[in-house]
Coordinates of all heavy atoms in Angstrom, one line a residue:
Chain B
V42 N -33.3 26.6 23.3 CA -34.4 26.6 22.4 C -33.9 26.2 21.0 O -32.8 26.5 20.7 CB -35.1 28.0 22.3 CG1 -34.2 29.1 21.8 CG2 -36.4 27.9 21.4
Q43 N -34.7 25.5 20.2 CA -34.3 25.2 18.9 C -34.6 26.4 18.0 O -35.5 27.2 18.2 CB -35.2 24.0 18.4 CG -34.8 23.4 17.1 CD -33.5 22.6 17.2 OE1 -33.4 21.9 18.2 NE2 -32.7 22.6 16.2
E44 N -33.7 26.6 17.1 CA -33.8 27.7 16.1 C -35.2 27.7 15.5 O -35.7 26.6 15.1 CB -32.7 27.6 15.1 CG -32.6 28.8 14.2 CD -31.4 28.7 13.2 OE1 -30.8 27.6 13.1 OE2 -31.1 29.7 12.5
A45 N -35.8 28.8 15.4 CA -37.1 29.0 14.8 C -38.3 28.7 15.7 O -39.5 28.9 15.4 CB -37.3 28.2 13.5
E46 N -38.0 28.1 16.9 CA -39.0 27.8 17.8 C -39.2 29.0 18.8 O -38.5 30.0 18.7 CB -38.6 26.6 18.6 CG -38.5 25.3 17.8 CD -39.8 24.9 17.2 OE1 -40.8 24.8 18.0 OE2 -39.9 24.6 16.0
T47 N -40.2 28.8 19.7 CA -40.5 29.9 20.7 C -40.1 29.5 22.1 O -40.2 28.3 22.4 CB -42.1 30.1 20.6 OG1 -42.4 30.6 19.3 CG2 -42.5 31.1 21.7
V48 N -39.6 30.5 22.8 CA -39.2 30.2 24.2 C -39.7 31.3 25.1 O -39.9 32.5 24.6 CB -37.6 30.1 24.2 CG1 -37.0 31.5 23.9 CG2 -37.1 29.7 25.6
T49 N -40.0 31.0 26.3 CA -40.5 31.9 27.3 C -39.6 32.0 28.5 O -39.3 30.9 29.1 CB -41.9 31.6 27.7 OG1 -42.8 31.7 26.6 CG2 -42.4 32.6 28.8
L50 N -39.1 33.1 28.8 CA -38.2 33.3 30.0 C -39.1 34.0 31.1 O -39.8 34.9 30.9 CB -37.1 34.3 29.7 CG -36.2 33.9 28.4 CD1 -35.1 34.9 28.3 CD2 -35.8 32.5 28.5
T89 N -44.9 44.7 22.9 CA -44.3 43.8 21.8 C -43.3 44.6 21.1 O -43.4 45.8 20.9 CB -45.4 43.3 20.9 OG1 -46.0 44.4 20.2 CG2 -46.5 42.5 21.6
E90 N -42.2 43.9 20.6 CA -41.2 44.5 19.8 C -40.8 43.4 18.8 O -39.9 42.6 19.1 CB -40.0 45.0 20.6 CG -40.2 46.2 21.4 CD -40.3 47.5 20.6 OE1 -39.8 47.4 19.4 OE2 -40.7 48.5 21.1
N91 N -41.4 43.4 17.7 CA -41.1 42.4 16.6 C -41.2 41.0 17.2 O -42.4 40.7 17.5 CB -39.6 42.7 16.1 CG -39.5 44.1 15.5 OD1 -40.3 44.5 14.8 ND2 -38.4 44.7 15.9
R92 N -40.2 40.2 17.3 CA -40.3 38.9 17.7 C -40.4 38.7 19.2 O -40.6 37.6 19.8 CB -39.2 38.0 17.2 CG -39.0 38.0 15.7 CD -37.9 37.1 15.2 NE -36.6 37.7 15.6 CZ -35.8 37.2 16.6 NH1 -36.2 36.1 17.3 NH2 -34.7 37.8 16.9
F93 N -40.3 39.8 19.9 CA -40.3 39.8 21.4 C -41.6 40.3 21.9 O -42.0 41.4 21.5 CB -39.1 40.6 21.9 CG -37.7 40.1 21.5 CD1 -37.2 40.6 20.3 CD2 -37.0 39.2 22.3 CE1 -35.9 40.1 19.9 CE2 -35.8 38.8 21.9 CZ -35.2 39.2 20.7
S94 N -42.1 39.6 22.9 CA -43.3 40.1 23.5 C -43.3 39.7 25.0 O -42.5 38.8 25.4 CB -44.6 39.5 22.9 OG -44.6 38.1 23.0
V95 N -44.1 40.4 25.8 CA -44.1 40.1 27.2 C -45.5 39.6 27.6 O -46.5 40.0 27.0 CB -43.7 41.3 28.1 CG1 -42.2 41.6 27.8 CG2 -44.6 42.4 28.0
L106 N -40.9 37.0 29.3 CA -40.5 37.4 27.9 C -40.7 36.2 27.0 O -40.1 35.1 27.2 CB -39.1 37.8 27.9 CG -38.4 38.2 26.5 CD1 -39.1 39.4 26.0 CD2 -36.9 38.3 26.7
K107 N -41.4 36.4 25.9 CA -41.5 35.4 24.9 C -40.7 35.8 23.6 O -40.9 36.9 23.1 CB -43.0 35.2 24.5 CG -43.2 34.0 23.5 CD -44.7 33.7 23.3 CE -45.3 34.6 22.4 NZ -46.7 34.1 22.0
I108 N -39.9 34.9 23.2 CA -39.1 35.1 21.9 C -39.7 34.1 20.9 O -39.6 32.9 21.1 CB -37.6 34.9 22.2 CG1 -37.1 35.7 23.3 CG2 -36.9 35.2 20.9 CD1 -35.7 35.5 23.7
S109 N -40.2 34.7 19.8 CA -40.8 33.8 18.8 C -39.7 33.7 17.6 O -38.9 34.6 17.4 CB -42.0 34.5 18.2 OG -43.0 34.7 19.2
D110 N -39.8 32.6 16.9 CA -39.0 32.4 15.7 C -37.5 32.7 16.2 O -36.8 33.5 15.6 CB -39.4 33.3 14.6 CG -38.6 33.1 13.3 OD1 -38.1 32.0 13.1 OD2 -38.4 34.1 12.5
S111 N -37.1 32.0 17.2 CA -35.7 32.2 17.7 C -34.6 32.1 16.7 O -34.6 31.2 15.8 CB -35.4 31.2 18.8 OG -36.4 31.3 19.9
Q112 N -33.7 33.0 16.8 CA -32.5 33.1 15.9 C -31.2 32.9 16.7 O -31.2 33.1 17.9 CB -32.5 34.4 15.2 CG -33.8 34.7 14.4 CD -33.8 36.1 13.7 OE1 -32.9 36.9 13.9 NE2 -34.9 36.3 13.0
L113 N -30.2 32.4 15.9 CA -28.9 32.2 16.6 C -28.4 33.4 17.3 O -27.8 33.3 18.4 CB -27.9 31.7 15.6 CG -28.2 30.4 14.9 CD1 -27.1 30.0 13.9 CD2 -28.3 29.2 15.9
D115 N -30.0 35.4 19.0 CA -30.7 35.6 20.3 C -30.0 35.0 21.5 O -30.3 35.3 22.6 CB -32.1 35.0 20.2 CG -33.0 35.7 19.2 OD1 -32.8 36.9 18.9 OD2 -34.0 35.1 18.7
Y119 N -30.2 37.0 29.5 CA -31.3 37.9 29.5 C -31.6 38.3 31.0 O -31.7 37.5 31.9 CB -32.5 37.3 28.9 CG -32.4 37.2 27.4 CD1 -31.7 36.2 26.8 CD2 -33.1 38.2 26.6 CE1 -31.6 36.2 25.4 CE2 -33.0 38.1 25.2 CZ -32.2 37.1 24.6 OH -32.1 37.1 23.3
L142 N -29.6 32.0 27.7 CA -30.4 31.4 26.6 C -29.4 30.9 25.5 O -28.6 31.6 25.0 CB -31.4 32.3 26.0 CG -32.2 31.8 24.8 CD1 -33.1 30.7 25.3 CD2 -33.0 32.9 24.1
V144 N -29.3 28.9 21.8 CA -30.2 28.6 20.6 C -29.5 27.5 19.8 O -28.3 27.7 19.4 CB -30.3 29.9 19.8 CG1 -31.2 29.5 18.6 CG2 -31.0 31.0 20.6

Side-chain angles (χ1 to χ4, degrees):
Chain B
V42 63
Q43 190 75 35
E44 192 175 8
E46 297 294 311
T47 296
V48 65
T49 299
L50 308 184
T89 62
E90 287 288 343
N91 301 314
R92 298 183 294 106
F93 299 88
S94 62
V95 298
L106 175 69
K107 185 171 80 171
I108 306 174
S109 304
D110 185 24
S111 297
Q112 300 175 0
L113 295 178
D115 295 333
Y119 286 81
L142 177 67
V144 181

